[in-house]
Amino acid sequence: MSVVHDWQLRDGKAVWHPYTQHQNWISDDPLVIDRAEGVWLTDVSGRRFLDACGSLWVTSYRHGDPRIKAAVAEQLGQLDHSSFFGATHTPGIRLAERLLELAPTSADSADRLSKVFYGNDGASVVDAALKMAYQFSVRSGDPREVILHLENSFHGDSIGASSIMGGDQSRSAYGPLLPEARKTESPGPVNGEDPAAAAARAIASLESVLAEVGSRCCALIVEPMIQGAGGMRPYDASFLRACRALADRHGFLLICDEVAAGVARTGRMWATEHAGIVPDIMLCGKGVTGGVLPLSALLTTDRVASVFADSDPSLMFFHGHTYAANPLACAAALENLAIATELDLPAVARQKGDLLGDLLGPVAKHAAVREVRRLGVMTGIELGTDVPRAGFRVCRAAQDRGVWIRSLGDTLVLMPPLAITPDELELMTGVVEASLDEVFAN
C-alpha cells in the first residue's frame, strides 16, 4: 500500500469533508497535502501540484511567504490570543485602521467606511451583516425583515447565509429553517448577451421586486462585479451603481460581499472600486490574511454604527465570535496587506489576468467548452457537455498532470496565487487544454 493510499484510508474512516459525497471519496483519489511553497503544493509522497485555485481562493500571493511567517512568529512570541469581548489588543486595532485606510471611497458620496467588526470566516460576517441590517431598520424606527439577493449568489452556508443562496439546494434541503429572502435576476450575461444589456435586465428585475417589497426590504446583498461560487460570472459595473442608487431611493442598506473577490483578485484592491461606489456594509475574508489563518471583517459606516450607540446595554449589537480578531491572524493580515500594497497586487492581477485570458484562447475554442469568463485572475471555464461528472473528470485528468483544479459542477475554476509566473500560467493552461482533450477525446 502506498503512503498516499494509507492516509486516504485513514481519512476515509475518521473525517467528514465539506461538500463531499463520501460514497466516492477514496475512489476519487483525493490529494493528501503535506506542505506548500510559492504556488506549489506537495503531497505526502513528495509529488508536486500547481495550486491553480489558490487553495479555495485564500492564497492571495503565495504559500509560505517568509514575511507573513515572520510576522506571525513575532506575534506568537508576544500575544497568542486575547478576547475582543470587553478588551482589545494592538494587532486588532492596527488592522482595523489599515482596512479603513484601504477601503473604497467615492467622490459622489460623503459616506465612508469607518468601523470594523471582526469575524472568523465569510459566513460569520455575512450573518453579522444580515442581523446588523435588520437591527438597523428596527433601531431607525422602520422595521424591515426582507433581504434581497441575486440568482447564482453564494455567501456561505450558515443558516443565515444559506437563506440568500442563489441556487435551490439550501431551500430544498433546509427551507423551514431559513429566514425570508427574495431573489432577483443575476446581472451575469447569458448566451453571449451584451454585459450592459444583461445589467439592464437585472436592474429591471430588481426594480420589479422592489415595487412589491421595497418598504419591507432592509438590505440587498451582492458579490460586487463577479459572482464567485455561482460560476465565476462577471457583470457590468452599471448594475452595481444602480444597486447603490436604488438602496438610497428605497432606504435599505447595500451589502457588498468581497470575501472572494477582495484583496486584488479582480485587478482592484476591492471589486467594488470598479463601479466607484461605497456600500453601507463591506465584507472581506479569504485572502485578507494571504491564506495563512482564518479571519474576516465587516466594514460599515458611522451612519449604521451610530444607531447601536446607546447607554442601554440591551440595544447593543448581539453578535460575536470567540476567536474574532485573533492577534496571530491580525498580524498575518497586516503583513499580507503590506505586501499587497508594496507589490501593487491589483496591477499584478490585471497583468497576469490579461496573460491568462490570452493563454486560454485555445481553451475557449474547445468543442467541450461553452464559455470562458474572467475578471482579473478570477476565471471560470464552463463546460457544455452532458458527460457525467465532466468537471470532476477534467480536474482529475489535470491532477494526473500535476495541476490541482477545483470545479463548481461543470465549471472549472482558476484563481491562482498572484506570485504565479508566466511560465507557470502557460503550464496551467496547457494542462487544462490537454485534460479537456483527454476527457472528451471521443
Side-chain angles (χ1 to χ4, degrees), residues 149-373:
H149 65 105
L150 303 181
E151 178 188 15
N152 298 322
S153 62
F154 182 85
H155 301 282
D157 48 21
S158 60
I159 290 293
S162 292
S163 71
I164 51 172
M165 189 179 290
D168 297 326
Q169 301 95 326
S170 286
R171 285 284 167 192
S172 61
Y174 310 112
L177 300 178
L178 304 181
E180 182 178 1
R182 291 290 298 270
K183 180 168 61 178
T184 70
E185 289 186 20
S186 166
V190 294
N191 300 323
E193 190 178 14
D194 175 75
R201 167 183 51 75
I203 292 165
S205 171
L206 177 56
E207 290 177 327
S208 176
V209 173
L210 285 171
E212 180 184 351
V213 300
S215 63
R216 297 171 54 214
C217 176
C218 63
L220 165 65
I221 184 167
V222 301
E223 298 161 271
M225 297 305 298
I226 182 168
Q227 294 183 290
M232 289 295 176
R233 301 175 186 275
Y235 59 83
D236 193 80
S238 60
F239 177 77
L240 203 53
R241 288 192 285 269
C243 289
R244 177 68 275 172
L246 288 168
D248 292 339
R249 186 185 314 160
H250 290 271
F252 59 82
L253 299 184
L254 176 62
I255 304 169
C256 283
D257 179 355
E258 295 260 8
V259 170
V263 193
R265 274 71 174 277
T266 68
R268 299 285 187 131
M269 191 64 181
W270 311 107
T272 310
E273 293 176 332
H274 289 276
I277 60 104
V278 176
D280 300 294
I281 296 175
M282 187 183 87
L283 312 177
C284 60
K286 285 194 183 289
V288 76
T289 71
V292 175
L293 288 166
L295 179 78
S296 59
L298 177 159
L299 282 64
T300 191
T301 63
D302 281 335
R303 181 172 76 94
V304 173
S306 64
V307 305
F308 295 89
D310 196 283
S311 58
D312 184 352
S314 70
L315 299 181
M316 71 176 71
F317 180 48
F318 283 93
H319 195 87
H321 297 270
T322 301
Y323 278 94
N326 171 260
L328 304 179
C330 289
L334 281 162
E335 196 60 35
N336 182 56
L337 294 174
I339 292 169
T341 302
E342 292 167 22
L343 299 184
D344 194 1
L345 289 189
V348 172
R350 292 193 295 272
Q351 295 159 3
K352 293 186 177 178
D354 288 345
L355 176 56
L356 177 57
D358 291 341
L359 291 169
L360 286 172
V363 170
K365 298 174 183 177
H366 198 282
V369 172
R370 175 176 289 127
E371 184 178 36
V372 174
R373 300 182 287 265

Side-chain angles (χ1 to χ4, degrees), residues 426-440:
E426 188 171 1
L427 168 66
M428 180 181 73
T429 54
V431 164
V432 171
E433 185 177 8
S435 299
L436 288 167
D437 288 342
E438 175 187 327
V439 173
F440 302 105

